[in-house]
Amino acid sequence: MKTLYLHIGTTKTATTSIQRFLEENKDVLQKYGYCFPDSLHVYPRANKRRNAHFLVAKVWDADGSRNQSKEKEYFEEGLQQIRTAFGTYDHVILTDESIWHALSYSKKSLLQELKKEADEQKYQIKVIVYLRRQDGLLISRWNQEVKQNFNSVAVMTCEEYLAASEKKEKKIYQYAQKLDEIAAVIGKNNLIVRRFSPKSWKDGSIIHDFMHEIGMDVTSEFQELEENVNLRLDKNTTEIKRILNQESEFSEKEISYMGKYLKEISKTYIEKDTTEMLSKEELQQFLKKYEEGNYRVCLLYTSPSPRDRQK
């Protein structure tokens, strides 16, 4: 059956690397019946390889007002692109790490809309999601906010970010609840849940693991990535960057330049970095809230993998 593979994140689980690999190997994928469509539109702060962004993106006019009619237009254009791709290929791959978040907040009905479309067009949807332990997700998201310096979050301490994130975005950490909701729409056997842990990946590579889950193994035909394409800052350099972000004496250009330098020196220390930005007690208190749900995730979704369960 024709299959739409929808990779929904989560954020900070090497999604950029997966997207770049798919883009650079588009021709090889097509040879075996897989289509990785181009993005039809450019969205602020979203690289073009996030070809599923049309599903959840907000569109803004030049005056700063939201254009919901354009959002609907882009959504329909994207669905038509999928229909056209299925005219030639058996498999279509879409990816955008912001979908996991959107399913809890801005686009709660997305999967229901896609399931209706899939039923009408006679294809199935398989959702792929990588999960890291909630404290790792929290700290990585804080790291990214500080690194990018797009908004006021970029000057928050890790403790401040923890408090704000739990208050405003706690649903994205409730893995069991969200997976149950997804499975209720597309079916548990169509939900591929993988741990964000090299020990659990095929060949110790998240790219090899992702490809295996969509039914392909990476052979010599594929061009491998040379390095991590979205390297994080280590914890010490993240704190330095956070302090720089709030310094009014530096221009945005100067802060960006120093951020690039910090990113380079992080390569030396990131593998040896064993420090934590939160105390052991803070981490335990944070994780305690999700302990029961995480047990259910391991029991129902990740052991064994959904793909193996279909065999």
Side-chain angles (χ1 to χ4, degrees), residues 132-239:
R132 68 192 307 163
R133 211 172 68 179
Q134 283 90 345
D135 56 335
L137 176 61
L138 172 84
I139 293 172
S140 292
R141 292 181 78 233
W142 171 73
N143 179 291
Q144 185 76 356
E145 293 282 5
V146 172
K147 185 173 71 171
Q148 292 180 328
N149 193 22
F150 285 152
N151 50 47
S152 60
V153 177
V155 300
M156 285 185 178
T157 64
C158 196
E159 291 83 359
E160 290 169 338
Y161 183 74
L162 168 63
S165 185
E166 283 201 285
K167 182 178 180 181
K168 295 182 179 181
E169 301 180 314
K170 62 182 180 180
K171 290 182 181 179
I172 68 170
Y173 302 106
Q174 295 170 345
Y175 296 164
Q177 178 180 330
K178 183 51 55 182
L179 294 177
D180 288 344
E181 292 171 1
I182 295 171
V185 177
I186 65 169
K188 190 163 66 172
N189 286 341
N190 291 320
L191 176 55
I192 300 170
V193 182
R194 303 293 290 146
R195 294 183 178 90
F196 186 70
S197 169
K199 292 181 180 179
S200 68
W201 299 337
K202 180 176 174 59
D203 303 327
S205 163
I206 193 168
I207 291 171
H208 287 212
D209 193 77
F210 177 88
M211 292 297 291
H212 181 72
E213 291 300 329
I214 67 171
M216 288 195 71
D217 287 333
V218 178
T219 65
S220 58
E221 290 183 86
F222 290 91
Q223 178 180 336
E224 299 266 20
L225 298 186
E226 294 182 0
E227 62 178 23
N228 188 328
V229 297
N230 191 22
L231 186 68
R232 67 179 175 86
L233 300 177
D234 74 88
K235 298 181 182 68
N236 287 331
T237 51
T238 302
E239 185 62 11

Side-chain angles (χ1 to χ4, degrees), residues 10 28 42 55 71 91 129 141 187 205 231 261 263 286:
T10 53
V28 183
V42 177
L55 295 171
E71 292 171 10
H91 311 282
V129 59
R141 292 181 78 233
S205 163
L231 186 68
Y261 174 72
K263 188 175 178 179
F286 176 66

Side-chain angles (χ1 to χ4, degrees), residues 108-121:
K108 296 179 181 180
S109 64
L110 173 62
L111 287 181
Q112 286 87 348
E113 295 175 52
L114 287 181
K115 184 64 166 58
K116 180 181 177 183
E117 167 74 9
D119 290 344
E120 291 174 354
Q121 299 299 321

Side-chain angles (χ1 to χ4, degrees), residues 50-65:
R50 291 168 59 179
N51 62 357
H53 198 57
F54 74 91
L55 295 171
V56 296
K58 294 179 181 178
V59 178
W60 307 95
D61 290 330
D63 62 1
S65 59

Side-chain angles (χ1 to χ4, degrees), residues 14-178:
T15 51
T16 302
S17 293
I18 292 171
Q19 291 157 3
R20 180 172 166 183
F21 177 84
L22 294 170
E23 173 69 23
E24 292 186 358
N25 290 281
K26 186 178 296 187
D27 291 344
V28 183
L29 288 167
Q30 290 176 353
K31 178 180 174 181
Y32 292 98
Y34 289 77
C35 177
F36 182 64
D38 294 326
S39 291
L40 296 176
H41 299 280
V42 177
Y43 301 94
R45 299 175 186 171
N47 76 65
K48 65 179 183 179
R49 293 180 290 271
R50 291 168 59 179
N51 62 357
H53 198 57
F54 74 91
L55 295 171
V56 296
K58 294 179 181 178
V59 178
W60 307 95
D61 290 330
D63 62 1
S65 59
R66 184 177 173 187
N67 191 329
Q68 292 182 303
S69 64
K70 276 289 184 184
E71 292 171 10
K72 293 178 181 177
E73 178 185 331
Y74 292 174
F75 186 86
E76 180 54 38
E77 286 179 358
L79 294 184
Q80 183 56 51
Q81 185 183 34
I82 297 170
R83 297 174 198 137
T84 301
F86 276 131
T88 304
Y89 305 98
D90 289 332
H91 311 282
V92 176
I93 308 168
L94 296 182
T95 171
D96 182 51
E97 58 268 33
S98 67
I99 294 177
W100 176 264
H101 186 284
L103 289 176
S104 290
Y105 296 100
S106 62
K107 209 68 181 289
K108 296 179 181 180
S109 64
L110 173 62
L111 287 181
Q112 286 87 348
E113 295 175 52
L114 287 181
K115 184 64 166 58
K116 180 181 177 183
E117 167 74 9
D119 290 344
E120 291 174 354
Q121 299 299 321
K122 304 293 192 273
Y123 63 83
Q124 65 180 338
I125 301 171
K126 289 186 179 292
V127 170
I128 306 173
V129 59
Y130 282 83
L131 299 176
R132 68 192 307 163
R133 211 172 68 179
Q134 283 90 345
D135 56 335
L137 176 61
L138 172 84
I139 293 172
S140 292
R141 292 181 78 233
W142 171 73
N143 179 291
Q144 185 76 356
E145 293 282 5
V146 172
K147 185 173 71 171
Q148 292 180 328
N149 193 22
F150 285 152
N151 50 47
S152 60
V153 177
V155 300
M156 285 185 178
T157 64
C158 196
E159 291 83 359
E160 290 169 338
Y161 183 74
L162 168 63
S165 185
E166 283 201 285
K167 182 178 180 181
K168 295 182 179 181
E169 301 180 314
K170 62 182 180 180
K171 290 182 181 179
I172 68 170
Y173 302 106
Q174 295 170 345
Y175 296 164
Q177 178 180 330
K178 183 51 55 182

